[in-house]
Amino acid sequence: MSSTTPTSQPPAAPEPDEASVPEQSGATGPAEGQKPSWWWRRRLHRYSCVGLTVALVFLWLSVTPSLLPRGPLFQGIVSGASAAVGYGLGVLVSWLIRYMISREEPWPAPMRRLWAALGLAAIAGTVVMLVAFQRWQDQVRTMMGVDLLSWTAYPQILLIAVVVFALLMTIGQAWGDGVKWLVRKLNRVAPPRISAFAAATIAIIITVLVLNGVVANYGMQALNSSFAAVNDETTADSSPPTTPQRSGGPGSLVTWDSLGRQGRIFISVSPTVEELSAFNGSPAMEPIRAYVGLGSGTDLRANAELAAEELVRAGGLQRKLIAVASTTGTGWINQATVDSLEYMYNGDTATVSMQYSYLPSWLSFLVDKERARQAGQALFEAVSERVREVPEAQRPKLVVFGESLGSFAAESAFGTIPALSARTDGALFSGPTFNNKLWVDTTGSRDDGTPEVLPTYDDGRQVRFIADAPDLDKPTTEWTSPSGRAVYLQHASDPISWWNPRLILREPDWLEEEPGRDVLSAMRWIPFVTFLQVSADMAVSVGVPDGHGHNYMSAIPAAWAKILQPPGWTEAKTERLIPLLTRD
C-alpha cells in the first residue's frame, strides 16, 4: 500500500524592508523602466525620519521675513541650506539620545504610514508657508518700492531649494560614509567608541586642512587673478586727465594705467568747473583728486606715502578742505560722498585715496580686512603728517570718510571718538560692518534706552547715528564744538551692518528691540536660519532703492552739511544737490 506525503509549501517570502533589500543587480526585477515598490523605501532608509522632520521645520522657517526682499534664487538657496542644517541637527539630536541611553543600533525604520504622513505634512505646510511668504514679501517690497514677485517665482524657489538640499545632503552623506569607513578600519585595533571619536576627529582635521590649504589657497589665487584682470579694464566714460590736479595727468607721480579700474573712474567722473560754478553762482576751482592703485606696488605703507606726495604735488595743501577717502575692496568710492564736498566748497577741495585689494567688498570683508585696516591707518597718518607741517592759520580742514569696508579702514586710525574728533575736522562713515571696532564699541556704550539700530552716544555731543537726514537733529543736545563732528550713516535694513557670525546662536539687540523703520515687525531671530537669511541679504544689499539696505546717497550731503557747516550753505542747496548725485 503506497502512501503519499503531502508536498510541503515554502513559507511566504517576507516583503523586503530597508535592511534586507538585496544589493545584487542580477536578481529578477520588475519590468524594464519600472522600479520595485521597495525602491523608494530603500532610498528613504538613507535618510533619518527625525532629520527630515526637523529639515521640514527649518524649510518653513526659512521663508519668514528678513531685512531685504529676496528673489527666487537666494530664497531657494536659503531654504535648501536651512533644510540641510535642520536635517543635520535632527540627526545629531537622534544620535545624542541613542548615545546617552547606550543604544548601539539605529532606531527602527518608520512604518510606511509614518512616511506618508510626513509627506502630506510637507506638502500642506509648504503651501501654507509659501502663502505667508508671498504676504511678507509683498509688504517689504511695497515698503521699499521694489517690484512684487510673479507667480513663477514660487516653483523656482521650490526647485532651487530641492537642488541645494540634495547637493548638500550628497556631500554630507559622502562625508559620513567616509567616517563610517574609517571607523570600521579602526575597530580592528580599538574599541568602538574610541574608533568613532578618532575617526570623526581625523575626518574634521582633514576637512579643515583641505578647505584651508587647497580650496582656500587655490580659490583665492584664482579669484585674485580673475579680479586683477577686471581691475585692468577701462570703462567708456573714463579717460586720462589733461589737468595736473588729477592723478594720472600731467606731472603726476603715478601713471594712468596703474590706477586700476575704480581709480580711473574716480579720477574721471566728477563735477566739472562749469557745473560747480553754475550751482554756486560763482567761479569754481578744479577739485583735486589724488589716487594710488595697486599697480603702483603692493607695499601699503609705500603706497600711502606715494598718495600723500601725490596730494602735495597737485596742490592739495593749499585747498580749504582735504578729504581722506578709504575705499572698499576693489578701490571703489561712493561718488556722492566726494561730489557733495566739492559742491559745498565750490571745488576748493582735495580728495586722496588708495587701493589695497583686487577683491570685491564682500570678499575683502571676509579675507582682506587686515589689509584694509593697515591701508586706512597708513593713508591717514601719511596725509595728517603733511597737513601738520602747514602753519595752523593756513592749515586746511581735514576730514575722513568711507563706506562699507571703507568705513572700517577709515576709522582704524582712531581708538576712540574723542581721538577721532581731536585729530580730524569731521568724519562720515556709511554702512559700517561688524568689524568696525570703533563703531561696535560706541554702539555698545550707547545711552540707556536707545536702540542698537539708531543709538545715541553721550547725548550726541561728538558723534551721531542716523538713517536719514532728520535723525541728525534727534539728540537735542548741541554738538560739543563746531569741528571734529562724526556721523555714522546706517540703515536698519542694511545686512552689511548687522551680519555677524554670532547670529547663528545668539539673538542680537537689534532683533530684541523695536524693529527699525524699514524692517518688518514680523522678522524674528531663528537660530541658524536668521544667519543664512542675512547672509543672502548681503548679496542683494545694493539692489534696493536709496535709503534702504546698503544703498547710501541722499542723506550724505545733509550729513556733510551738519558736520562741516560750509560757509553760505543752506538746506535749500542740499535739496538742489541731491538730484545731481550718483553713487558710481
Side-chain angles (χ1 to χ4, degrees), residues 54-254:
V54 180
L56 267 179
V57 174
F58 271 61
L59 173 70
W60 297 334
L61 293 174
S62 71
V63 301
T64 57
S66 60
L67 296 175
L68 296 176
R70 294 194 299 273
L73 175 61
F74 287 104
Q75 181 57 59
I77 292 173
V78 168
S79 294
S82 296
V85 170
Y87 181 87
L89 291 175
V91 170
L92 177 61
V93 169
S94 178
W95 176 84
L96 283 175
I97 293 174
R98 286 194 291 112
Y99 184 82
M100 286 188 292
I101 64 175
S102 299
R103 180 185 177 91
E104 299 293 339
E105 297 298 323
W107 306 109
M111 298 179 295
R112 186 179 303 176
R113 290 180 180 178
L114 185 57
W115 282 118
L118 185 61
L120 291 174
I123 295 172
T126 301
V127 170
V128 170
M129 291 308 295
L130 282 178
V131 171
F133 171 74
Q134 180 187 25
R135 184 177 70 252
W136 288 321
Q137 285 295 302
D138 286 352
Q139 290 174 355
V140 71
R141 287 169 179 272
T142 300
M143 178 173 58
M144 295 188 179
V146 178
D147 293 338
L148 303 183
L149 289 174
S150 66
W151 69 268
T152 59
Y154 302 97
Q156 292 178 52
I157 290 171
L158 292 176
L159 177 61
I160 295 169
V162 169
V163 170
V164 170
F165 178 74
L167 177 62
L168 293 177
M169 289 299 298
T170 299
I171 294 172
Q173 288 184 342
W175 190 87
D177 289 343
V179 173
K180 292 176 183 176
W181 175 85
L182 191 55
V183 168
R184 289 195 297 270
K185 296 296 183 182
L186 293 176
N187 278 341
R188 299 174 181 175
V189 295
R193 294 199 174 187
I194 294 178
S195 298
F197 177 80
T201 303
I202 293 171
I204 291 172
I205 292 174
I206 292 175
T207 301
V208 171
L209 290 176
V210 168
L211 290 177
N212 286 340
V214 179
V215 177
N217 287 343
Y218 286 102
M220 289 308 301
Q221 289 177 13
L223 287 171
N224 266 311
S225 298
S226 175
F227 288 111
V230 173
N231 187 65
D232 293 333
E233 296 176 358
T234 300
T235 59
D237 55 355
S238 63
S239 57
T242 58
T243 171
Q245 281 76 37
R246 302 296 172 97
S247 292
S252 176
L253 303 178
V254 294

